[in-house]
Amino acid sequence: MARITASVYTSHVPAIGAALDLGKTQEPYWQKVFSGYEYSKQWLRENKPDVIFLVYNDHATAFSLDLIPTFAIGTAAQYQPADEGWGPRPVPTVMGHPDLAAHIAQSVIQDDFDLTIVNKMDVDHGLTVPLSLMCGQQDKDSGAWPCPVIPFAVNVVQYPVPSGRRCFNLGRAIRKAVESYDEPLNVQIWGTGGMSHQLQGPRAGLINAEWDKRFLDRLIAEPEALAQVPHIDYVREAGSEGIELVMWLIARGAMSDHAPAVKHRFYHVPASNTAVGHLILENT
Ligand code: DHB
Ligand code: FE
């Protein structure tokens, strides 16, 4: 049977992708951000999964106000990096895992979560920046990501957004789905986005380090209680884009009920407009 061995949590700031693509990683500003991922790249090399289930949000790239799925699972064989206005990032095509994705869709939908099935979509910085941070820069043509990826897009852009509780319970359903897949695959689940940031309006630039650090503590130690926090608290405390953090609860809900091993924790302000948070948890 397949199993979820570990979860990774990270911010997905688009400027991080630009810093990588434009060779700016050694600049003092960026060096501090990337220093938090040195251990992570080594860890991923040593703990290479067969599949990454990557929870992220689309930023009006693949979807628009024409069509807003709350939860969308990618069942395609491959996904192209999107053109977000400056041309597509020069990173490899993301290979999917249609068979496991279809199995998870079947199991999770039968478990009463309504997923949208997506057979064709481009993937934006929400997905490609976490891959770059964890895998290092890969050449578009000669490089490759280390394994297939199942993109799982969550609407946190257009209200109404899903609650933390629903996200946590969805994670549990994803765990059950993976554990009923009849092949011994090592699956990691990644939750991305956050931490505190607000990109527009009078509060643009908002960062709340205290709230972020408490979120990291609670995500590790008491995720089910953390999942009860209503969405309005994220917006008030962590800014309008801080709501991206509910996606971390999907990954956390997919972990075993035992306390996880904390392999890595990193927090840094700022990267662009955002507080960067990063965790690696292993199932014990
Ligand atoms: C920034 C952060 C995001 O999560 C995003 O989607 C876009 C921009 C930023 O910090 O600039
Ligand atoms: Fe974002």
Side-chain angles (χ1 to χ4, degrees):
M1 291 304 187
R3 74 206 153 88
I4 291 175
T5 53
S7 51
V8 172
Y9 309 81
T10 180
S11 306
H12 65 210
V13 186
I16 291 177
L20 280 160
D21 301 340
L22 300 172
K24 293 186 177 173
T25 55
Q26 292 313 312
E27 290 183 3
Y29 179 93
W30 288 114
Q31 216 258 328
K32 293 189 194 98
V33 176
F34 291 111
S35 69
Y37 292 84
E38 282 308 315
Y39 170 87
S40 315
K41 287 188 283 183
Q42 183 63 29
W43 175 87
L44 191 66
R45 278 192 291 273
E46 288 166 7
N47 296 275
K48 194 171 93 62
D50 297 311
V51 184
I52 295 166
F53 189 93
L54 204 156
V55 182
Y56 75 108
N57 68 293
D58 177 77
H59 300 74
T61 302
F63 306 121
S64 71
L65 291 181
D66 289 349
L67 187 137
I68 308 166
T70 301
F71 299 118
I73 186 164
T75 45
Q78 57 181 61
Y79 308 88
Q80 295 304 325
D83 184 342
E84 300 178 58
W86 290 272
R89 290 192 60 215
V91 293
T93 298
V94 177
M95 305 310 289
H97 198 304
D99 203 61
L100 178 59
H103 170 83
I104 293 173
Q106 153 80 20
S107 175
V108 168
I109 290 171
Q110 289 303 315
D111 238 346
D112 304 338
F113 289 89
D114 305 316
L115 307 186
T116 299
I117 290 161
V118 186
N119 289 313
K120 186 174 186 330
M121 72 174 163
D122 292 343
V123 286
D124 71 11
H125 65 271
L127 184 130
T128 64
V129 166
L131 281 175
S132 294
L133 280 169
M134 292 298 298
C135 310
Q137 192 66 333
Q138 304 293 329
D139 185 78
K140 177 182 182 322
D141 301 311
S142 59
W145 302 117
C147 67
V149 174
I150 298 175
F152 191 87
V154 179
N155 169 43
V156 287
V157 169
Q158 175 63 37
Y159 283 80
V161 298
S163 68
R165 184 175 50 242
R166 184 156 172 79
C167 288
F168 188 74
N169 288 332
L170 171 61
R172 288 184 159 162
I174 291 167
R175 183 206 313 175
K176 188 171 139 195
V178 168
E179 288 175 353
S180 62
Y181 187 68
D182 196 11
E183 222 185 289
L185 295 181
N186 171 344
V187 179
Q188 284 179 9
I189 184 161
W190 294 9
T192 70
M195 295 195 87
S196 57
H197 62 305
Q198 170 143 346
L199 301 176
Q200 74 272 292
R203 298 202 310 162
L206 179 145
I207 298 285
N208 187 344
E210 214 172 300
W211 194 88
D212 287 340
K213 288 176 184 169
R214 177 107 180 97
F215 184 92
L216 293 173
D217 291 341
R218 298 188 76 198
L219 189 77
I220 295 165
E222 45 173 33
E224 198 164 1
L226 177 63
Q228 305 308 316
V229 172
H231 82 271
I232 194 68
D233 287 18
Y234 288 82
V235 177
R236 284 194 183 118
E237 299 290 338
S240 51
E241 278 64 49
I243 190 64
E244 289 180 343
L245 283 169
V246 291
M247 297 185 288
W248 294 29
L249 287 163
I250 298 178
R252 188 65 182 88
M255 293 289 282
S256 120
D257 295 331
H258 304 294
V262 182
K263 301 303 287 187
H264 187 51
R265 176 172 173 158
F266 175 67
Y267 184 77
H268 175 76
V269 179
S272 189
N273 302 290
T274 300
V276 168
H278 175 38
L279 275 179
I280 299 177
L281 305 182
E282 281 180 5
N283 270 334
T284 50

mmCIF file of all heavy atoms in Angstrom, residues 6 10 23 39 49 57-58 71 81 91 102 114 123 138 144 154 161 167 179 183-184 193 202 208 222 228 276 279:
data_model
loop_
_atom_site.group_PDB
_atom_site.id
_atom_site.type_symbol
_atom_site.label_atom_id
_atom_site.label_comp_id
_atom_site.label_asym_id
_atom_site.label_seq_id
_atom_site.Cartn_x
_atom_site.Cartn_y
_atom_site.Cartn_z
ATOM 1 N N ALA A 6 5.984 11.971 4.959
ATOM 2 C CA ALA A 6 6.421 13.275 5.481
ATOM 3 C C ALA A 6 5.604 14.386 4.852
ATOM 4 O O ALA A 6 4.952 14.186 3.820
ATOM 5 C CB ALA A 6 7.903 13.492 5.171
ATOM 6 N N THR A 10 5.794 25.400 3.107
ATOM 7 C CA THR A 10 6.627 26.542 2.730
ATOM 8 C C THR A 10 5.822 27.640 2.046
ATOM 9 O O THR A 10 4.840 27.372 1.353
ATOM 10 C CB THR A 10 7.788 26.116 1.792
ATOM 11 O OG1 THR A 10 8.562 27.285 1.450
ATOM 12 C CG2 THR A 10 7.314 25.480 0.501
ATOM 13 N N GLY A 23 19.498 34.539 -11.139
ATOM 14 C CA GLY A 23 20.820 34.332 -10.532
ATOM 15 C C GLY A 23 21.132 35.271 -9.381
ATOM 16 O O GLY A 23 22.277 35.690 -9.197
ATOM 17 N N TYR A 39 19.279 22.911 4.277
ATOM 18 C CA TYR A 39 19.008 21.611 4.889
ATOM 19 C C TYR A 39 17.932 20.873 4.098
ATOM 20 O O TYR A 39 18.021 19.665 3.855
ATOM 21 C CB TYR A 39 18.556 21.784 6.350
ATOM 22 C CG TYR A 39 18.032 20.493 6.948
ATOM 23 C CD1 TYR A 39 18.894 19.578 7.548
ATOM 24 C CD2 TYR A 39 16.668 20.166 6.867
ATOM 25 C CE1 TYR A 39 18.416 18.378 8.057
ATOM 26 C CE2 TYR A 39 16.188 18.964 7.373
ATOM 27 C CZ TYR A 39 17.059 18.074 7.966
ATOM 28 O OH TYR A 39 16.573 16.889 8.456
ATOM 29 N N PRO A 49 10.770 11.117 -2.418
ATOM 30 C CA PRO A 49 9.515 10.363 -2.490
ATOM 31 C C PRO A 49 9.288 9.813 -3.895
ATOM 32 O O PRO A 49 9.980 10.192 -4.840
ATOM 33 C CB PRO A 49 8.468 11.431 -2.162
ATOM 34 C CG PRO A 49 9.072 12.709 -2.656
ATOM 35 C CD PRO A 49 10.577 12.567 -2.515
ATOM 36 N N ASN A 57 -2.194 27.234 -4.114
ATOM 37 C CA ASN A 57 -3.299 27.961 -4.722
ATOM 38 C C ASN A 57 -2.882 28.568 -6.043
ATOM 39 O O ASN A 57 -1.761 29.044 -6.208
ATOM 40 C CB ASN A 57 -3.875 29.033 -3.790
ATOM 41 C CG ASN A 57 -2.931 30.177 -3.542
ATOM 42 O OD1 ASN A 57 -1.892 30.011 -2.921
ATOM 43 N ND2 ASN A 57 -3.297 31.347 -4.020
ATOM 44 N N ASP A 58 -3.818 28.497 -6.973
ATOM 45 C CA ASP A 58 -3.671 29.165 -8.261
ATOM 46 C C ASP A 58 -3.995 30.646 -8.046
ATOM 47 O O ASP A 58 -4.921 30.981 -7.307
ATOM 48 C CB ASP A 58 -4.658 28.536 -9.239
ATOM 49 C CG ASP A 58 -4.624 29.216 -10.581
ATOM 50 O OD1 ASP A 58 -3.674 28.953 -11.341
ATOM 51 O OD2 ASP A 58 -5.532 30.026 -10.872
ATOM 52 N N PHE A 71 -11.743 23.148 -4.464
ATOM 53 C CA PHE A 71 -10.657 22.164 -4.412
ATOM 54 C C PHE A 71 -10.545 21.513 -5.789
ATOM 55 O O PHE A 71 -11.522 20.949 -6.280
ATOM 56 C CB PHE A 71 -10.962 21.062 -3.393
ATOM 57 C CG PHE A 71 -11.128 21.547 -1.980
ATOM 58 C CD1 PHE A 71 -12.339 21.379 -1.315
ATOM 59 C CD2 PHE A 71 -10.081 22.144 -1.296
ATOM 60 C CE1 PHE A 71 -12.505 21.807 0.004
ATOM 61 C CE2 PHE A 71 -10.237 22.576 0.025
ATOM 62 C CZ PHE A 71 -11.452 22.409 0.673
ATOM 63 N N PRO A 81 4.663 25.056 -16.731
ATOM 64 C CA PRO A 81 4.774 26.290 -15.942
ATOM 65 C C PRO A 81 4.050 27.418 -16.688
ATOM 66 O O PRO A 81 4.200 27.562 -17.898
ATOM 67 C CB PRO A 81 6.283 26.542 -15.886
ATOM 68 C CG PRO A 81 6.893 25.193 -16.117
ATOM 69 C CD PRO A 81 5.977 24.476 -17.066
ATOM 70 N N VAL A 91 11.727 26.571 -15.978
ATOM 71 C CA VAL A 91 11.868 25.366 -15.150
ATOM 72 C C VAL A 91 11.196 24.200 -15.880
ATOM 73 O O VAL A 91 10.374 24.410 -16.776
ATOM 74 C CB VAL A 91 11.254 25.560 -13.742
ATOM 75 C CG1 VAL A 91 12.047 26.585 -12.942
ATOM 76 C CG2 VAL A 91 9.791 25.966 -13.819
ATOM 77 N N ALA A 102 -6.243 9.881 -9.874
ATOM 78 C CA ALA A 102 -7.612 9.401 -10.111
ATOM 79 C C ALA A 102 -8.101 8.564 -8.936
ATOM 80 O O ALA A 102 -9.267 8.656 -8.533
ATOM 81 C CB ALA A 102 -7.658 8.580 -11.401
ATOM 82 N N ASP A 114 -16.192 17.398 -2.352
ATOM 83 C CA ASP A 114 -16.443 17.622 -3.776
ATOM 84 C C ASP A 114 -15.209 18.228 -4.422
ATOM 85 O O ASP A 114 -14.919 19.404 -4.228
ATOM 86 C CB ASP A 114 -17.638 18.562 -3.934
ATOM 87 C CG ASP A 114 -18.850 18.022 -3.192
ATOM 88 O OD1 ASP A 114 -19.100 16.810 -3.313
ATOM 89 O OD2 ASP A 114 -19.511 18.797 -2.480
ATOM 90 N N VAL A 123 0.556 25.564 -14.301
ATOM 91 C CA VAL A 123 0.798 25.743 -12.868
ATOM 92 C C VAL A 123 1.648 26.988 -12.635
ATOM 93 O O VAL A 123 2.661 27.187 -13.302
ATOM 94 C CB VAL A 123 1.453 24.479 -12.255
ATOM 95 C CG1 VAL A 123 0.408 23.367 -12.144
ATOM 96 C CG2 VAL A 123 2.652 23.997 -13.044
ATOM 97 N N GLN A 138 16.428 23.859 -11.468
ATOM 98 C CA GLN A 138 16.543 22.786 -12.479
ATOM 99 C C GLN A 138 16.398 23.424 -13.851
ATOM 100 O O GLN A 138 15.497 24.226 -14.064
ATOM 101 C CB GLN A 138 15.412 21.755 -12.300
ATOM 102 C CG GLN A 138 15.317 21.133 -10.926
ATOM 103 C CD GLN A 138 16.499 20.252 -10.602
ATOM 104 O OE1 GLN A 138 17.092 19.643 -11.491
ATOM 105 N NE2 GLN A 138 16.854 20.187 -9.337
ATOM 106 N N ALA A 144 15.121 18.045 -14.521
ATOM 107 C CA ALA A 144 13.810 17.432 -14.253
ATOM 108 C C ALA A 144 13.537 17.554 -12.772
ATOM 109 O O ALA A 144 14.466 17.578 -11.960
ATOM 110 C CB ALA A 144 13.821 15.964 -14.662
ATOM 111 N N VAL A 154 -6.315 24.964 -4.284
ATOM 112 C CA VAL A 154 -7.342 25.375 -3.313
ATOM 113 C C VAL A 154 -7.677 26.845 -3.572
ATOM 114 O O VAL A 154 -6.766 27.659 -3.750
ATOM 115 C CB VAL A 154 -6.802 25.214 -1.867
ATOM 116 C CG1 VAL A 154 -7.838 25.654 -0.842
ATOM 117 C CG2 VAL A 154 -6.375 23.769 -1.619
ATOM 118 N N VAL A 161 -13.857 31.279 0.919
ATOM 119 C CA VAL A 161 -12.750 30.315 0.925
ATOM 120 C C VAL A 161 -13.094 29.185 1.901
ATOM 121 O O VAL A 161 -13.908 29.374 2.796
ATOM 122 C CB VAL A 161 -11.427 31.000 1.339
ATOM 123 C CG1 VAL A 161 -11.063 32.089 0.350
ATOM 124 C CG2 VAL A 161 -11.503 31.579 2.748
ATOM 125 N N CYS A 167 -10.362 22.005 5.613
ATOM 126 C CA CYS A 167 -9.064 21.656 5.024
ATOM 127 C C CYS A 167 -8.410 20.522 5.819
ATOM 128 O O CYS A 167 -7.870 19.574 5.238
ATOM 129 C CB CYS A 167 -8.156 22.885 4.979
ATOM 130 S SG CYS A 167 -8.680 24.086 3.731
ATOM 131 N N GLU A 179 -3.533 5.657 1.510
ATOM 132 C CA GLU A 179 -3.282 4.367 2.177
ATOM 133 C C GLU A 179 -4.094 3.227 1.574
ATOM 134 O O GLU A 179 -3.841 2.064 1.890
ATOM 135 C CB GLU A 179 -3.563 4.513 3.690
ATOM 136 C CG GLU A 179 -2.474 5.338 4.373
ATOM 137 C CD GLU A 179 -2.752 5.621 5.849
ATOM 138 O OE1 GLU A 179 -3.861 5.288 6.321
ATOM 139 O OE2 GLU A 179 -1.857 6.167 6.516
ATOM 140 N N GLU A 183 -0.185 0.068 -4.287
ATOM 141 C CA GLU A 183 1.193 0.038 -4.781
ATOM 142 C C GLU A 183 2.037 0.657 -3.676
ATOM 143 O O GLU A 183 1.603 1.648 -3.077
ATOM 144 C CB GLU A 183 1.307 0.914 -6.036
ATOM 145 C CG GLU A 183 2.140 0.329 -7.154
ATOM 146 C CD GLU A 183 2.287 1.349 -8.284
ATOM 147 O OE1 GLU A 183 1.291 1.610 -8.983
ATOM 148 O OE2 GLU A 183 3.389 1.878 -8.439
ATOM 149 N N PRO A 184 3.209 0.127 -3.392
ATOM 150 C CA PRO A 184 3.966 0.617 -2.215
ATOM 151 C C PRO A 184 4.683 1.940 -2.485
ATOM 152 O O PRO A 184 5.904 2.023 -2.443
ATOM 153 C CB PRO A 184 4.955 -0.518 -1.952
ATOM 154 C CG PRO A 184 5.178 -1.124 -3.291
ATOM 155 C CD PRO A 184 3.903 -0.972 -4.074
ATOM 156 N N GLY A 193 2.129 28.275 0.537
ATOM 157 C CA GLY A 193 1.507 29.595 0.678
ATOM 158 C C GLY A 193 1.856 30.216 2.023
ATOM 159 O O GLY A 193 2.643 29.661 2.792
ATOM 160 N N PRO A 202 -5.140 49.469 2.403
ATOM 161 C CA PRO A 202 -4.441 50.285 3.405
ATOM 162 C C PRO A 202 -3.474 49.475 4.275
ATOM 163 O O PRO A 202 -2.521 50.033 4.801
ATOM 164 C CB PRO A 202 -5.572 50.863 4.267
ATOM 165 C CG PRO A 202 -6.825 50.660 3.506
ATOM 166 C CD PRO A 202 -6.606 49.555 2.523
ATOM 167 N N ASN A 208 2.858 39.721 10.665
ATOM 168 C CA ASN A 208 2.587 39.480 12.084
ATOM 169 C C ASN A 208 3.409 38.265 12.535
ATOM 170 O O ASN A 208 2.934 37.126 12.524
ATOM 171 C CB ASN A 208 1.080 39.253 12.289
ATOM 172 C CG ASN A 208 0.702 39.169 13.762
ATOM 173 O OD1 ASN A 208 1.560 38.978 14.609
ATOM 174 N ND2 ASN A 208 -0.589 39.305 14.042
ATOM 175 N N GLU A 222 -0.724 20.940 17.997
ATOM 176 C CA GLU A 222 -2.175 20.778 18.196
ATOM 177 C C GLU A 222 -2.934 21.208 16.942
ATOM 178 O O GLU A 222 -3.712 22.169 16.970
ATOM 179 C CB GLU A 222 -2.638 21.568 19.426
ATOM 180 C CG GLU A 222 -2.066 22.978 19.526
ATOM 181 C CD GLU A 222 -2.682 23.791 20.653
ATOM 182 O OE1 GLU A 222 -3.033 23.211 21.678
ATOM 183 O OE2 GLU A 222 -2.826 25.016 20.463
ATOM 184 N N GLN A 228 -9.639 24.878 14.095
ATOM 185 C CA GLN A 228 -10.913 25.518 14.474
ATOM 186 C C GLN A 228 -10.871 27.042 14.303
ATOM 187 O O GLN A 228 -11.905 27.703 14.392
ATOM 188 C CB GLN A 228 -11.260 25.198 15.942
ATOM 189 C CG GLN A 228 -11.302 23.713 16.277
ATOM 190 C CD GLN A 228 -12.186 22.909 15.351
ATOM 191 O OE1 GLN A 228 -13.290 23.320 15.033
ATOM 192 N NE2 GLN A 228 -11.677 21.767 14.883
ATOM 193 N N VAL A 276 8.337 34.492 5.381
ATOM 194 C CA VAL A 276 8.598 33.131 4.904
ATOM 195 C C VAL A 276 8.640 32.164 6.073
ATOM 196 O O VAL A 276 9.409 32.357 7.016
ATOM 197 C CB VAL A 276 9.936 33.074 4.135
ATOM 198 C CG1 VAL A 276 10.361 31.636 3.884
ATOM 199 C CG2 VAL A 276 9.809 33.811 2.814
ATOM 200 N N LEU A 279 8.564 24.358 7.266
ATOM 201 C CA LEU A 279 8.651 23.235 8.208
ATOM 202 C C LEU A 279 8.804 21.933 7.429
ATOM 203 O O LEU A 279 8.231 21.802 6.340
ATOM 204 C CB LEU A 279 7.345 23.082 8.989
ATOM 205 C CG LEU A 279 7.047 23.866 10.252
ATOM 206 C CD1 LEU A 279 5.653 23.469 10.733
ATOM 207 C CD2 LEU A 279 8.085 23.604 11.332
#
